[in-house]
Amino acid sequence: MPLKNEGIMIVLSSPSGAGKTTLVKLLSEREGFTISISHTTRTPRSNEINGKDYHFISKEEFTNMINKKEFLEYAEVFQNYYGTSRSNIFTELNKGTNIIFDIDWQGTAQIVSKKLEQKLITFFILPPSREILFRRLSNRDMKDKLIAEERMKEFDKDILHWKNYDYVIINNDLELCYKQILKHINDEINGLKKGYDIKFIEKHIKRLMQ
Ligand code: 5GP
């Protein structure tokens, strides 16, 4: 991965179930991106480790951090709070570390609005179809179909924010999707022009919203 002195910030957002977490892990494993570990008030899932997947904290601790202005961004998602703590991020970026953020559209909008001097590239990941998304959501540890249905309703709202991202990528095939993201990152770092078929994305979004 080419680097120019300072690290860059990569944001990946997606409606729940579009495969973003896997992509974040791949970028970290293969390209050496450092994953920003968020703070959250949600309960850990059975496979999650405190300090690795998230810093799991209480609502009170989260409120304290808000009051002390410790968050670069924070948001309420599915009735829980999630936030990116400022600590370390800028030190790491100055050292040349590339950082990847797995955050929602609200947090992305907050970071974008800060107009930071560090390079920021934002990606919105979409599923290939509503049917596949519903299947993915129903196959999770949350077996409850009702939860999958709730998340589909969220999907209809989340998808509206695609326009605020630099790139929208369809996750039809994980490796292909990964390669597309990497190409955009490399092109951006090397100052190449955006090679991106926005008309195709618009059509896909229309289909997803039907
Ligand atoms: P989950 O509970 O499934 O891990 O995450 C739910 C949503 O919260 C995902 O869309 C994820 O990207 C988002 N999220 C995770 N960490 C943060 C964060 O620090 N800030 C914001 N704004 N969203 C986050």
Side-chain angles (χ1 to χ4, degrees):
M1 171 70 46
L3 259 186
K4 292 198 179 128
N5 308 326
E6 223 178 26
I8 59 171
M9 305 168 81
I10 304 291
V11 168
L12 255 70
S13 298
S14 75
S16 191
K20 166 198 52 180
T21 309
T22 315
L23 289 162
V24 167
K25 286 195 178 131
L26 282 185
L27 281 163
S28 159
E29 284 162 16
R30 297 184 186 170
E31 307 302 322
F33 280 100
T34 293
I35 303 174
S36 161
I37 302 170
S38 300
H39 286 71
T40 183
T41 60
R42 111 156 139 63
T43 324
R45 297 189 182 119
S46 57
N47 58 338
E48 287 178 327
I49 299 168
N50 190 20
K52 184 169 175 276
D53 296 289
Y54 282 105
H55 300 289
F56 294 98
I57 58 172
S58 66
K59 181 97 188 283
E60 199 183 348
E61 286 170 306
F62 201 97
T63 311
N64 273 337
M65 288 180 73
I66 296 176
N67 293 338
K68 288 192 204 150
K69 305 211 183 319
E70 287 181 25
F71 288 118
L72 176 63
E73 63 73 32
Y74 70 90
E76 191 182 346
V77 187
F78 302 128
Q79 284 107 46
N80 289 303
Y81 284 93
Y82 295 82
T84 305
S85 125
R86 286 175 197 278
S87 77
N88 289 333
I89 287 194
F90 293 104
T91 325
E92 285 301 318
L93 286 168
N94 287 337
K95 278 199 264 172
T97 311
N98 294 324
I99 304 187
I100 184 155
F101 299 81
D102 171 347
I103 60 175
D104 83 328
W105 63 269
Q106 304 173 82
T108 308
Q110 289 169 40
I111 296 182
V112 170
S113 73
K114 291 198 158 67
K115 297 194 190 326
L116 301 167
E117 57 184 37
Q118 287 82 4
K119 183 151 188 68
L120 170 69
I121 314 171
T122 60
F123 292 92
F124 196 60
I125 315 297
L126 288 178
S129 68
R130 288 185 77 87
E131 294 69 30
I132 293 178
L133 178 68
F134 188 72
R135 233 181 294 145
R136 283 185 191 162
L137 288 172
S138 314
N139 284 342
R140 282 193 167 177
D141 59 347
M142 42 169 164
K143 290 187 187 85
D144 194 341
K145 284 267 182 301
L146 279 176
I147 293 179
E149 275 159 22
E150 277 304 309
R151 296 227 160 177
M152 288 303 287
K153 280 187 208 150
E154 287 298 325
F155 170 74
D156 289 329
K157 286 190 247 158
D158 285 355
I159 197 172
L160 301 173
H161 301 281
W162 70 276
K163 279 203 169 145
N164 303 328
Y165 286 77
D166 296 320
Y167 299 97
V168 180
I169 313 280
I170 302 163
N171 187 8
N172 214 339
D173 172 283
L174 191 68
E175 281 301 325
L176 201 68
C177 181
Y178 174 77
K179 278 189 191 140
Q180 284 177 351
I181 292 174
L182 200 58
K183 183 173 182 335
H184 289 310
I185 294 174
N186 280 318
D187 284 354
E188 288 263 356
I189 290 174
N190 295 314
L192 294 178
K193 234 179 134 202
K194 236 181 180 179
Y196 181 55
D197 188 351
I198 190 107
K199 285 268 178 296
F200 173 73
I201 295 295
E202 275 171 352
K203 272 193 205 143
H204 186 73
I205 303 262
K206 262 194 196 149
R207 272 199 303 273
L208 283 174
M209 287 170 72
Q210 276 163 11

